[in-house]
Amino acid sequence: MSKIVASMAGNVWKVLVQPGDAVVEGQDVVILESMKMEIPIAAESSGTVKEVKVSEADFVNEGDILVELA
């Protein structure tokens, strides 16, 4: 299992995947908003989305788990 984590603190602006979705390495899965900038968070490996740990408008800290891949 692989975890996709926040690279910086910010608000979850958009969640681009749902459980069951297949993702490929490099695909954006979540977009964070920090300091009025949109920061796309990409999958570091391919897999299937097991669980989305955040909702849009949530605040996350650097290192928080956003998505788990199976």
Side-chain angles (χ1 to χ4, degrees):
M1 181 172 24
S2 154
K3 294 177 171 69
I4 301 169
V5 299
S7 57
M8 65 188 324
N11 291 306
V12 177
W13 185 69
K14 199 147 188 71
V15 177
L16 304 173
V17 294
Q18 307 174 49
D21 287 357
V23 297
V24 295
E25 184 178 346
Q27 177 180 336
D28 292 343
V29 294
V30 174
I31 298 176
L32 298 180
E33 188 271 327
S34 182
M35 299 178 289
K36 301 195 192 283
M37 293 175 25
E38 293 174 17
I39 297 99
I41 306 297
E44 295 174 5
S45 60
S46 298
T48 302
V49 176
K50 178 182 175 201
E51 187 175 357
V52 177
K53 300 278 200 177
V54 294
S55 298
E56 291 178 5
D58 284 355
F59 180 82
V60 296
N61 288 302
E62 182 176 350
D64 284 357
I65 299 170
L66 305 175
V67 177
E68 285 187 353
L69 300 179

